[in-house]
Amino acid sequence: MDRLFEFVVNHYVLASLFVAFLVAILVLESRRGGAKISAQGAVSLINRDEAIVVDIRDRKEFGEGRITGSVNIPLSSLKSRAAELNKHKSKQIIVADKMGQHSAMAVKQLNAEGFANVVRLNGGVSDWKASNLPLVKK
C-alpha cells in the first residue's frame, strides 16, 4: 500500500488522468442506458394510466411474478416484437427486468425502433419486491 501512495505522489499526472478517465467512463455508462425511474415513480405513472410496463424477463420468470398489467416481451425477441408496442407509443414505456442489468439494452433497442418515452425500472423486479409492491402470479 505504501508503494501505491509513492507511485501516486511520483506520477501525479498519470494518477489524475486515470481518475479522470474512470469518472468519464462511469458518467458515460450511467447515461447510456437511458433514464431510470424508481418503483414508486413507476407506480404513480401506472396508476394514472400514463405508462405501460414491458417485462423483458423470460416466460418462466415472468410467470413466477409480474407487475400488474405488464407485457412480457423477452429481451431476445424484443427487436422482432417491438411492433406490438406501437399502440402504446403515446404512453411512457417502463422496461423492467430481473435486477436492472439488461434493461439498458432494451431501452436502447426501443429508442432505435422509434419509441421516445422509454425509461428503465431502477433495480428491476427485485427492487419492486423489496419495496413491498404487489406482484401478480398467473
Side-chain angles (χ1 to χ4, degrees):
M1 195 63 153
D2 292 332
R3 288 181 171 230
L4 176 66
F5 293 124
E6 181 182 345
F7 179 82
V8 169
V9 169
N10 290 334
H11 304 285
Y12 63 90
V13 173
L14 286 176
S16 60
L17 283 174
F18 174 74
V19 171
F21 283 131
L22 187 64
V23 168
I25 288 172
L26 290 175
V27 168
L28 179 68
E29 287 298 316
S30 68
R31 291 184 182 175
R32 179 189 261 181
K36 295 179 185 177
I37 190 168
S38 68
Q40 294 300 325
V43 167
S44 69
L45 284 176
I46 294 167
N47 286 342
R48 290 191 316 241
D49 199 31
E50 295 176 3
I52 183 81
V53 178
V54 177
D55 196 324
I56 60 169
R57 298 177 296 160
D58 61 20
R59 186 171 298 280
K60 180 183 173 196
E61 289 176 334
F62 184 75
E64 291 172 359
R66 61 184 172 88
I67 298 171
T68 304
S70 62
V71 177
N72 181 234
I73 302 178
L75 182 60
S76 59
S77 62
L78 183 62
K79 194 167 195 130
S80 62
R81 293 179 57 189
E84 294 176 25
L85 299 172
N86 282 338
K87 60 186 172 188
H88 303 294
K89 270 198 173 182
S90 62
K91 293 183 178 182
Q92 181 89 39
I93 296 177
I94 302 171
V95 178
D97 64 350
K98 188 173 184 176
M99 298 181 74
Q101 296 173 336
H102 303 289
S103 57
M105 190 182 323
V107 169
K108 191 174 181 181
Q109 285 181 6
L110 287 172
N111 284 335
E113 294 289 329
F115 294 92
N117 293 329
V118 184
V119 294
R120 55 190 174 137
L121 182 62
N122 192 22
V125 176
S126 62
D127 189 50
W128 184 275
K129 279 188 216 177
S131 299
N132 291 324
L133 294 168
L135 289 175
V136 176
K137 294 184 181 178
K138 188 95 184 201

